[in-house]
Amino acid sequence: MKEDSISFFVSFAPHISSLYTSSILHELQMDIVKEGFNFKSAGLPYTNYHLNKYSSDIKKYLFPGVFVLAFIFILILVRNLLAAYIIFCPPLFSALFSLALIKTFYIHMNMVTSIVPLVSFVISLAVVLHLYFPALLYGSARQAKSLKLMPTILMVVTTGIGFGSLVISPIKVIGQFAVLSCISIVFCSCASYLWMSRFLDYLILKAPAKKINLEILETLVKERPLRKRTTIILLPIFGLALFYILPKLPVVTDATRYFPVSSGIRKSIISVQKEVLGSPICEILLKKKNGESFSFEDFQILSSIEEKLSLAGKKTISPGRIIKDANYLYSSNLALPDFKISFLALKSKVQKDLQRFNPDDHIYRMTILGTAMNSSDYFVEIDKIKKLLSPYDYDLQLSGIYYNLMLAQDSLIIVLAQSFLLSLIIITILVSLYFRGIHYLFAFLIINIFPVMISLVMVYLTGMSINIATVMTYSISLGLVVDGTIHVIHTYPKLSFADFFETTVRPIFLGTIMLSICFFGFSIHGFLPIKQFGLILGSTILIGLFFDLFVLPSFLSSENS
């Protein structure tokens, strides 16, 4: 080979598993690089190969780091090694149970389901802390369970709803995440509650904690709540801002944009797609409206359309292209034969190739090859293709893996709104049935909608995007923020401020800080969806913490007085 030569091959292996494909790609890359050649690859299997690598990095490196950090954090909180160990066991079990659940149902993690173990871990930790601190205050496991049983049940149910609402997503991996999260949250929360019920009396007697000093927070919560009027004035302002920015939020559906620029993966993929063939981005199936087979005249019409697509940078594979290639071998002319008799003779010689690609003479299959792109740009190109074909008497059907993937991902904003509204409606109904007061319902809605509105404005201002991972954050954050709201509404009217602080504010504050640290830990990952998922979710639950501790009491105080 010359220095500037390009050698390439194309593999069509639809029935080979993704794991085997990954193994082949890895070995092939190692062998070619070893020989001193520059290796580049493209296509959905290659993109999925790198997505799987980044997902496995989360399991290998991020999870152990989060678990170690969490144990140190718990140890700092309780300042007793035995107490820290007993508190840490249920969350750790929850994470391991989630991993076993993924292994049982799906064999391998993907970049979305890899988040499930962390979610189970932090929610189980919240359940444990909500039992532990009241038990320390009252010196009684029975009194702690009596105070926290109903809000904990409501917390688990509403959190499960927040995650489960994502099951309506047309994107398969998000649906898998919803099912796995819901099962894991309910089971692990129940297991954590039972574990702590068994050990609470032992912890009180044998491993009393030296609680971390939170006097500054106590003073702020007691004396510096945000006025109710201020919150109500700010609500429509943020609502108008959200109405303005929501259509402008950037949506990233092109998976090649998820990889760090420094990795060179996107650059390599685009290079192959431009220099060689491109990846299949759409399958077009044409059928004559009268049901007849495609004639020589039809092939000429479609050939001219394919030439226009070629000028626009889109390569095609089609029956017409196969005949053109055959004609090039015979006459060095890459075009259809000028005469019908020559066309028919040449077509008969490549009949086997035509049958393999296009088995039905009544259907003309055209595979469009191009570069990876966002769904918004993709459907602009699809509309141009439809416009080229519209003057002719053909029925048009669009298909293909990439096309259906773009259809699903094009609805990310709609999925975000639908799943959030679904979970909000169901959770609101449950809360209103339990607390039985219109003022509680009003406070609940404001406290839990506001953090999401502020978070979306923050996403717009910081240039982050809606993608396959971040689209889930708002349903998830609703389920997590609601936890604190329920505990505040349940205990604030019943207890003295000192007891309220120790039994409710302390576990909410410490649990949320731990939760946000875990999610912010995702920001060190170079993979765009996981990085932004951690940043957005960590920020949203911190905003929710502020509203639970500094805004909600002002609503409840005015009603109580």
Side-chain angles (χ1 to χ4, degrees):
M1 287 178 61
K2 296 179 181 178
E3 287 187 6
D4 58 348
S5 297
I6 295 176
S7 177
F8 71 93
F9 71 92
V10 180
S11 173
F12 294 98
H15 303 298
I16 294 179
S17 69
S18 59
L19 184 64
Y20 187 61
T21 303
S22 298
S23 175
I24 292 173
L25 280 169
H26 179 71
E27 291 180 12
L28 187 64
Q29 182 172 357
M30 295 296 290
D31 290 342
I32 292 176
V33 171
K34 192 186 296 182
E35 295 296 326
F37 295 108
N38 185 15
F39 175 85
K40 294 180 181 179
S41 185
L44 281 176
Y46 181 68
T47 304
N48 290 335
Y49 163 65
H50 282 288
L51 293 177
N52 290 335
K53 280 182 66 178
Y54 276 92
S55 299
S56 65
D57 287 347
I58 294 174
K59 181 174 67 175
K60 287 179 182 177
Y61 307 114
L62 196 57
F63 283 167
V66 167
F67 296 155
V68 170
L69 184 65
F71 183 78
I72 294 171
F73 184 80
I74 293 168
L75 188 59
I76 292 171
L77 293 185
V78 301
R79 302 182 187 183
N80 184 297
L81 186 61
L82 180 59
Y85 171 76
I86 293 173
I87 290 171
F88 183 71
C89 281
L92 182 63
F93 164 79
S94 301
L96 296 176
F97 175 81
S98 300
L99 287 169
L101 210 60
I102 295 169
K103 181 73 174 176
T104 302
F105 288 103
Y106 302 112
I107 309 299
H108 304 290
M109 287 198 308
N110 55 53
M111 69 173 181
V112 176
T113 57
S114 63
I115 302 166
V116 176
L118 180 61
V119 167
S120 299
F121 180 88
V122 294
I123 291 173
S124 293
L125 180 60
V127 171
V128 169
L129 293 178
H130 273 293
L131 280 174
Y132 179 66
F133 287 111
L136 286 184
L137 176 68
Y138 297 123
S140 167
R142 179 175 293 182
Q143 195 169 348
K145 288 187 284 186
S146 174
L147 179 68
K148 289 293 185 176
L149 178 60
M150 286 311 297
T152 299
I153 291 173
L154 197 57
M155 177 187 94
V156 172
V157 171
T158 53
T159 304
I161 290 168
F163 283 82
S165 65
L166 291 165
V167 78
I168 66 172
S169 171
I171 301 173
K172 187 177 178 180
V173 291
I174 294 180
Q176 290 175 353
F177 173 84
V179 173
L180 288 168
S181 298
C182 204
I183 294 171
S184 187
I185 287 167
V186 173
F187 179 82
C188 295
S189 296
C190 293
S192 299
Y193 187 90
L194 293 173
W195 170 274
M196 286 304 290
S197 298
R198 173 68 181 81
F199 283 100
L200 275 178
D201 286 324
Y202 178 80
L203 283 171
I204 293 167
L205 293 172
K206 301 292 184 181
K210 299 174 184 177
K211 293 183 292 187
I212 191 169
N213 191 320
L214 296 176
E215 286 183 8
I216 296 174
L217 177 66
E218 187 175 1
T219 303
L220 290 173
V221 172
K222 187 176 183 178
E223 300 179 4
R224 303 286 181 181
L226 192 67
R227 294 179 63 187
K228 180 178 175 181
R229 183 182 298 176
T230 305
T231 307
I232 294 173
I233 290 171
L234 289 174
L235 185 63
I237 295 173
F238 274 93
L240 289 172
L242 186 62
F243 181 78
Y244 171 77
I245 68 165
L246 203 55
K248 299 178 181 294
L249 285 174
V251 179
V252 178
T253 56
D254 175 10
T256 64
R257 296 180 187 271
Y258 295 162
F259 302 110
V261 175
S262 58
S263 70
I265 294 171
R266 172 174 166 77
K267 185 178 179 181
S268 172
I269 290 172
I270 297 298
S271 172
V272 172
Q273 290 173 340
K274 286 183 175 179
E275 291 176 10
V276 189
L277 282 173
S279 296
I281 61 171
C282 185
E283 296 286 344
I284 298 175
L285 302 178
L286 299 171
K287 194 173 182 179
K288 295 182 72 170
K289 292 183 178 179
N290 58 15
E292 293 179 357
S293 299
F294 283 80
S295 64
F296 174 57
E297 289 75 18
D298 291 315
F299 270 80
Q300 287 180 316
I301 291 169
L302 294 170
S303 177
S304 67
I305 291 171
E306 289 170 14
E307 286 172 6
K308 291 176 183 177
L309 289 172
S310 179
L311 292 173
K314 300 288 183 296
K315 302 178 180 70
T316 58
I317 302 174
S318 66
R321 176 70 196 202
I322 292 171
I323 295 171
K324 284 181 183 180
D325 289 340
N327 192 38
Y328 180 78
L329 292 175
Y330 283 99
S331 64
S332 300
N333 182 19
L334 189 61
L336 290 177
D338 294 328
F339 302 103
K340 184 176 181 179
I341 190 168
S342 304
F343 167 80
L344 294 174
L346 199 55
K347 185 182 177 185
S348 66
K349 290 183 179 294
V350 293
Q351 194 63 35
K352 287 184 179 179
D353 295 318
L354 289 172
Q355 283 292 317
R356 278 196 293 267
F357 179 76
N358 197 81
D360 190 346
D361 285 341
H362 297 84
I363 294 174
Y364 188 95
R365 175 186 169 193
M366 188 188 300
T367 300
I368 308 296
L369 306 172
T371 59
M373 62 189 87
N374 265 332
S375 59
S376 54
D377 301 323
Y378 178 81
F379 285 106
V380 169
E381 297 299 318
I382 291 297
D383 287 339
K384 290 178 182 178
I385 294 171
K386 287 181 179 178
K387 191 174 181 181
L388 281 175
L389 291 164
S390 60
Y392 304 103
D393 193 29
Y394 303 127
D395 287 325
L396 173 68
Q397 181 183 345
L398 301 176
S399 186
I401 295 174
Y402 198 87
Y403 174 75
N404 287 298
L405 183 65
M406 288 292 105
L407 275 180
Q409 295 196 2
D410 191 50
S411 61
L412 283 181
I413 293 288
I414 297 171
V415 169
L416 185 156
Q418 288 177 339
S419 62
F420 177 79
L421 289 174
L422 177 64
S423 57
L424 180 65
I425 290 167
I426 297 173
I427 290 171
T428 302
I429 291 171
L430 286 175
V431 169
S432 61
L433 289 174
Y434 179 72
F435 289 111
R436 299 176 183 275
I438 192 68
H439 57 284
Y440 289 131
L441 181 61
F442 178 67
F444 176 84
L445 286 172
I446 288 181
I447 297 306
N448 288 285
I449 290 174
F450 227 130
V452 172
M453 295 169 65
I454 295 173
S455 176
L456 283 167
V457 172
M458 179 193 72
V459 168
Y460 175 74
L461 294 176
T462 56
M464 288 190 280
S465 63
I466 303 299
N467 54 58
I468 196 168
T470 58
V471 72
M472 306 185 298
T473 52
Y474 297 100
S475 293
I476 294 173
S477 63
L478 178 64
L480 296 174
V481 173
V482 161
D483 295 352
T485 308
I486 289 169
H487 282 281
V488 171
I489 294 176
H490 182 78
T491 56
Y492 188 80
K494 298 178 181 179
L495 306 176
S496 66
F497 180 80
D499 285 3
F500 165 70
F501 184 85
E502 290 300 326
T503 62
T504 305
V505 174
R506 184 180 288 274
I508 288 175
F509 176 76
L510 296 177
T512 304
I513 294 298
M514 183 69 247
L515 189 64
S516 60
I517 289 172
C518 288
F519 285 121
F520 282 137
F522 277 34
S523 65
I524 65 173
H525 203 278
F527 194 57
L528 180 73
I530 298 299
K531 180 178 183 175
Q532 293 188 350
F533 173 87
L535 287 171
I536 294 172
L537 192 52
S539 302
T540 306
I541 59 177
L542 282 181
I543 297 167
L545 174 68
F546 174 83
F547 275 82
D548 280 337
L549 300 187
F550 296 99
V551 179
L552 182 55
S554 66
F555 282 81
L556 300 178
S557 295
S558 60
E559 294 298 341
N560 290 339
S561 61

